[in-house]
Amino acid sequence: MARIFNARLLVVAFFGTILALLLYLSLNAKEKPTAEKKVRVTAWFSFNGGDMDDPTNYSYVGSSAPNCPGQNNLCAVQADVSNPSAPDNQKQPDITSTLLDEIDEAIQTKQETSHVSLRE
């Protein structure tokens, strides 16, 4: 009888230990690293003419807006860089619908915005 009691006690202790270990591991589990977190990089791009929604019609300028005298036509936009690891001469802007709306409004009102520069 004592052996049965000891065996039951050992089984309960074993499963209790396993349960405690699983609980500890689940509470202290660290987030697994994801494949690659996208880093958002914003820059200015001068507009070279053509379709405003075509990223290939823009040239990378850098962190400062270019000097664009006048207020009638699109000069430059500030946008997320769609390929930040590319060389500067190959970087392109991410032309979103929100940015296109902002460009249209700036041209219509002849008022620059924080993301759109105009010129004559």
Side-chain angles (χ1 to χ4, degrees):
M1 185 87 142
R3 283 187 187 181
I4 294 174
F5 180 74
N6 286 339
R8 285 183 185 165
L9 189 59
L10 283 174
V11 169
V12 169
F14 174 76
F15 283 112
T17 303
I18 296 295
L19 182 62
L21 180 62
L22 290 174
L23 182 62
Y24 172 79
L25 291 174
S26 68
L27 292 176
N28 293 311
K30 293 185 179 176
E31 186 178 317
K32 292 181 182 178
T34 55
E36 183 179 318
K37 291 190 178 184
K38 265 198 155 180
V39 176
R40 185 176 161 198
V41 177
T42 303
W44 281 93
F45 295 86
S46 62
F47 180 61
N48 303 321
D51 292 332
M52 290 182 281
D53 60 348
D54 184 354
T56 63
N57 291 333
Y58 294 83
S59 297
Y60 176 79
V61 175
S63 60
S64 299
N67 185 15
C68 303
Q71 300 288 314
N72 293 326
N73 299 304
L74 180 60
C75 172
V77 296
Q78 184 182 40
D80 289 345
V81 181
S82 64
N83 54 344
S85 60
D88 287 352
N89 65 343
Q90 295 176 7
K91 289 183 179 172
Q92 294 182 338
D94 183 14
I95 306 296
T96 63
S97 60
T98 303
L99 180 57
L100 286 172
D101 290 345
E102 191 171 337
I103 292 169
D104 287 339
E105 185 174 335
I107 292 171
Q108 295 279 334
T109 63
K110 298 186 183 348
Q111 296 291 316
E112 294 184 341
T113 69
S114 58
H115 301 105
V116 179
S117 288
L118 301 173
R119 66 170 160 222
E120 286 294 331

